[in-house]
Amino acid sequence: MENVSMNLNVIANEIYRHQKSAVEMDKISTRYPSITIEDAYKIQEINMEKELQDGDQFVGWKMGLTSFAKQQSVGVKQPIYGRLLKSMVISNEELSLDGLIHPRVEPELAFLINKKLEGNHVTEQDVWLATEGIMTAIEVIDSRYKDFSFNLIDVVADNASSAKFFLSEQIYEPNKFQWEKAKVLMKLNGKAVQEGIGSAVMGNPARSVVELVKMLHSSGLSIEPGMIVLTGGITEAIHVSHGDSIEVEFVELGEIDLTVI
Ligand code: 0L1
Ligand code: MG
């Protein structure tokens, strides 16, 4: 039987290579059957350190698998988190497929945090008090595993399929809207393909941030002021390819669009 703890750096290196080369890889969970979820988060951390050494910047966290529908599709009952880098930000309205394998997009709400959030007893009220503003967002996810097929350990080690994200220019005041009631319609090439509501994210996207703080606490981590939190997909994610246009209409808030190039 393999000694997984001895091999975490090796596994992290393999995943890192595939993230950089945009070439699919085999699942790690089948090749390292004794690997744990803690090992997977450790691999994520090892690879984040590499990114920072290469000059990137850590800008926040993403929550994944926050809706019942998504948890069911992966066969799990818990959300996961990943780390966001400055290089993942889409700064114009163009989504380049360079460096991506089989990308999907999903509408999300992004919280901009202005006070440290930590501990195991954090409440939704604490989150609201620490939220500077909320942006509408499109997350681009891209699993590095063949056929987008993985279990919880695989996907955590692959930084929760993080690839890119786009944020609205407008930053909304947190208390000006009932975010669990935010309605979203996503169109692909002019055709409505997904619709959803903010409550799909753990009942209320603020709960996703609460859950993130608790999960980070168990690893001795916290959310620092200035960080972004992507709270999780409001609808199912959809595949995109060259030439596609994606329109995400947040009813009452406005639309954000991306063109795939
Ligand atoms: O952001 C997400 O919910 C994705 C988490 C990982 C699962 C996937 O890649 O579909
Ligand atoms: Mg997501």
Side-chain angles (χ1 to χ4, degrees):
M1 181 59 73
E2 87 288 351
N3 182 342
V4 169
S5 63
M6 293 291 289
N7 289 333
L8 289 188
N9 279 305
V10 173
I11 302 169
N13 270 332
E14 181 187 353
I15 294 174
Y16 191 76
R17 275 199 317 277
H18 285 265
Q19 288 171 340
K20 295 291 163 191
S21 62
V23 174
E24 291 174 305
M25 61 180 281
D26 291 322
K27 287 187 267 203
I28 56 170
S29 57
T30 44
R31 290 182 287 138
Y32 303 94
S34 62
I35 195 165
T36 65
I37 190 79
E38 290 77 21
D39 293 329
Y41 277 114
K42 184 71 194 154
I43 289 168
Q44 198 188 102
E45 194 181 329
I46 292 169
N47 281 343
M48 177 58 43
E49 282 305 317
K50 286 199 193 79
E51 300 280 9
L52 301 185
Q53 275 162 20
D54 288 350
D56 214 330
Q57 280 175 46
F58 175 43
V59 295
W61 303 92
K62 68 161 276 183
M63 283 290 272
L65 307 180
T66 46
S67 69
F68 181 64
K70 272 210 163 193
Q71 289 181 3
Q72 260 197 328
S73 73
V74 183
V76 299
K77 290 200 166 105
Q78 63 194 101
I80 57 175
Y81 66 80
R83 290 157 158 94
L84 300 176
L85 290 163
K86 190 166 181 203
S87 62
M88 295 175 182
V89 176
I90 300 172
S91 51
N92 50 20
E93 294 189 343
E94 290 180 342
L95 164 57
S96 163
L97 297 188
D98 287 352
L100 303 180
I101 304 170
H102 34 209
R104 299 177 182 182
V105 298
E106 56 188 16
E108 304 217 2
L109 291 166
F111 281 47
L112 175 59
I113 301 299
N114 63 10
K115 289 189 190 70
K116 189 179 179 88
L117 280 170
E118 62 184 335
N120 206 20
H121 301 290
V122 66
T123 63
E124 265 182 63
Q125 177 70 0
D126 296 328
V127 168
W128 290 122
L129 289 172
T131 300
E132 171 94 18
I134 294 181
M135 289 159 281
T136 57
I138 300 175
E139 188 190 12
V140 183
I141 52 175
D142 190 29
S143 174
R144 267 50 68 158
Y145 298 107
K146 281 182 187 150
D147 304 322
F148 231 109
S149 161
F150 45 72
N151 75 9
L152 199 66
I153 287 169
D154 299 305
V155 68
V156 166
D158 184 25
N159 198 18
S161 303
S162 303
K164 299 186 182 202
F165 62 99
F166 177 69
L167 301 175
S168 63
E169 251 176 55
Q170 192 162 352
I171 304 181
Y172 300 91
E173 281 184 44
N175 58 5
K176 284 282 162 70
F177 195 73
Q178 287 182 282
W179 296 96
E180 72 280 15
K181 293 190 178 159
K183 287 202 190 101
V184 183
L185 179 68
M186 182 156 63
K187 289 185 189 165
L188 181 66
N189 303 323
K191 188 175 164 228
V193 284
Q194 288 287 331
E195 58 182 348
I197 185 154
S199 59
V201 180
M202 307 187 85
N204 185 318
R207 279 197 206 129
S208 172
V209 184
V210 168
E211 193 57 33
L212 172 64
V213 177
K214 291 182 178 174
M215 289 166 83
L216 292 177
H217 173 74
S218 65
S219 303
L221 300 167
S222 53
I223 305 180
E224 299 304 318
M227 298 254 123
I228 300 284
V229 179
L230 283 178
T231 52
I234 296 174
T235 72
E236 288 292 307
I238 57 161
H239 291 278
V240 288
S241 11
H242 281 290
D244 282 345
S245 74
I246 305 147
E247 295 158 57
V248 178
E249 188 188 335
F250 286 82
V251 182
E252 296 163 304
L253 295 167
E255 184 173 307
I256 49 177
D257 300 336
L258 284 179
T259 301
V260 184
I261 58 167

PDB file of all heavy atoms in Angstrom, residues 62-63 70 106 108 139 141 232-233, ligand 2:
ATOM      1  N   LYS A  62     -13.479  30.365  -2.782  1.00  0.00           N
ATOM      2  CA  LYS A  62     -14.733  29.995  -3.417  1.00  0.00           C
ATOM      3  C   LYS A  62     -15.350  28.839  -2.658  1.00  0.00           C
ATOM      4  O   LYS A  62     -14.633  27.964  -2.141  1.00  0.00           O
ATOM      5  CB  LYS A  62     -14.540  29.570  -4.865  1.00  0.00           C
ATOM      6  CG  LYS A  62     -13.789  28.277  -5.024  1.00  0.00           C
ATOM      7  CD  LYS A  62     -13.991  27.649  -6.375  1.00  0.00           C
ATOM      8  CE  LYS A  62     -15.270  26.803  -6.445  1.00  0.00           C
ATOM      9  NZ  LYS A  62     -15.427  26.140  -7.737  1.00  0.00           N
ATOM     10  N   MET A  63     -16.659  28.849  -2.554  1.00  0.00           N
ATOM     11  CA  MET A  63     -17.355  27.681  -2.035  1.00  0.00           C
ATOM     12  C   MET A  63     -17.913  26.927  -3.232  1.00  0.00           C
ATOM     13  O   MET A  63     -18.383  27.522  -4.209  1.00  0.00           O
ATOM     14  CB  MET A  63     -18.479  28.110  -1.090  1.00  0.00           C
ATOM     15  CG  MET A  63     -17.981  28.530   0.269  1.00  0.00           C
ATOM     16  SD  MET A  63     -17.356  27.110   1.216  1.00  0.00           S
ATOM     17  CE  MET A  63     -18.861  26.549   2.013  1.00  0.00           C
ATOM     18  N   LYS A  70     -26.235  20.202  -6.858  1.00  0.00           N
ATOM     19  CA  LYS A  70     -24.828  19.925  -7.175  1.00  0.00           C
ATOM     20  C   LYS A  70     -24.271  18.820  -6.288  1.00  0.00           C
ATOM     21  O   LYS A  70     -23.497  17.974  -6.743  1.00  0.00           O
ATOM     22  CB  LYS A  70     -24.011  21.191  -6.980  1.00  0.00           C
ATOM     23  CG  LYS A  70     -23.954  22.044  -8.207  1.00  0.00           C
ATOM     24  CD  LYS A  70     -22.642  22.793  -8.216  1.00  0.00           C
ATOM     25  CE  LYS A  70     -22.382  23.317  -9.592  1.00  0.00           C
ATOM     26  NZ  LYS A  70     -21.012  23.779  -9.729  1.00  0.00           N
ATOM     27  N   GLU A 106     -21.171  29.246 -14.333  1.00  0.00           N
ATOM     28  CA  GLU A 106     -22.338  29.260 -13.443  1.00  0.00           C
ATOM     29  C   GLU A 106     -22.454  30.637 -12.779  1.00  0.00           C
ATOM     30  O   GLU A 106     -21.447  31.274 -12.475  1.00  0.00           O
ATOM     31  CB  GLU A 106     -22.237  28.158 -12.387  1.00  0.00           C
ATOM     32  CG  GLU A 106     -20.973  28.194 -11.550  1.00  0.00           C
ATOM     33  CD  GLU A 106     -20.841  26.960 -10.663  1.00  0.00           C
ATOM     34  OE1 GLU A 106     -21.535  25.971 -10.891  1.00  0.00           O
ATOM     35  OE2 GLU A 106     -20.018  27.021  -9.732  1.00  0.00           O
ATOM     36  N   GLU A 108     -23.150  33.285  -9.832  1.00  0.00           N
ATOM     37  CA  GLU A 108     -22.901  33.255  -8.380  1.00  0.00           C
ATOM     38  C   GLU A 108     -23.068  34.653  -7.798  1.00  0.00           C
ATOM     39  O   GLU A 108     -23.152  35.648  -8.524  1.00  0.00           O
ATOM     40  CB  GLU A 108     -21.473  32.773  -8.100  1.00  0.00           C
ATOM     41  CG  GLU A 108     -21.149  31.426  -8.701  1.00  0.00           C
ATOM     42  CD  GLU A 108     -20.261  30.552  -7.823  1.00  0.00           C
ATOM     43  OE1 GLU A 108     -19.910  30.970  -6.699  1.00  0.00           O
ATOM     44  OE2 GLU A 108     -19.926  29.446  -8.288  1.00  0.00           O
ATOM     45  N   GLU A 139     -18.812  32.326 -12.410  1.00  0.00           N
ATOM     46  CA  GLU A 139     -17.629  31.504 -12.163  1.00  0.00           C
ATOM     47  C   GLU A 139     -17.416  30.553 -13.331  1.00  0.00           C
ATOM     48  O   GLU A 139     -18.378  29.979 -13.861  1.00  0.00           O
ATOM     49  CB  GLU A 139     -17.737  30.675 -10.865  1.00  0.00           C
ATOM     50  CG  GLU A 139     -16.369  30.030 -10.628  1.00  0.00           C
ATOM     51  CD  GLU A 139     -16.257  28.975  -9.553  1.00  0.00           C
ATOM     52  OE1 GLU A 139     -17.271  28.487  -9.052  1.00  0.00           O
ATOM     53  OE2 GLU A 139     -15.091  28.617  -9.259  1.00  0.00           O
ATOM     54  N   ILE A 141     -15.696  27.125 -14.093  1.00  0.00           N
ATOM     55  CA  ILE A 141     -15.057  25.970 -13.458  1.00  0.00           C
ATOM     56  C   ILE A 141     -14.498  25.057 -14.554  1.00  0.00           C
ATOM     57  O   ILE A 141     -15.019  25.019 -15.660  1.00  0.00           O
ATOM     58  CB  ILE A 141     -16.026  25.186 -12.533  1.00  0.00           C
ATOM     59  CG1 ILE A 141     -17.330  24.815 -13.249  1.00  0.00           C
ATOM     60  CG2 ILE A 141     -16.310  25.967 -11.269  1.00  0.00           C
ATOM     61  CD1 ILE A 141     -18.261  23.952 -12.413  1.00  0.00           C
ATOM     62  N   GLY A 232     -21.068  30.157  -4.416  1.00  0.00           N
ATOM     63  CA  GLY A 232     -21.536  28.880  -4.966  1.00  0.00           C
ATOM     64  C   GLY A 232     -22.555  29.094  -6.079  1.00  0.00           C
ATOM     65  O   GLY A 232     -23.254  30.115  -6.113  1.00  0.00           O
ATOM     66  N   GLY A 233     -22.641  28.128  -6.958  1.00  0.00           N
ATOM     67  CA  GLY A 233     -23.508  28.241  -8.140  1.00  0.00           C
ATOM     68  C   GLY A 233     -24.982  28.324  -7.767  1.00  0.00           C
ATOM     69  O   GLY A 233     -25.474  27.535  -6.961  1.00  0.00           O
TER      70      GLY A 233
HETATM   71 MG    MG B   2     -18.958  27.698  -8.297  1.00  0.00          MG
END
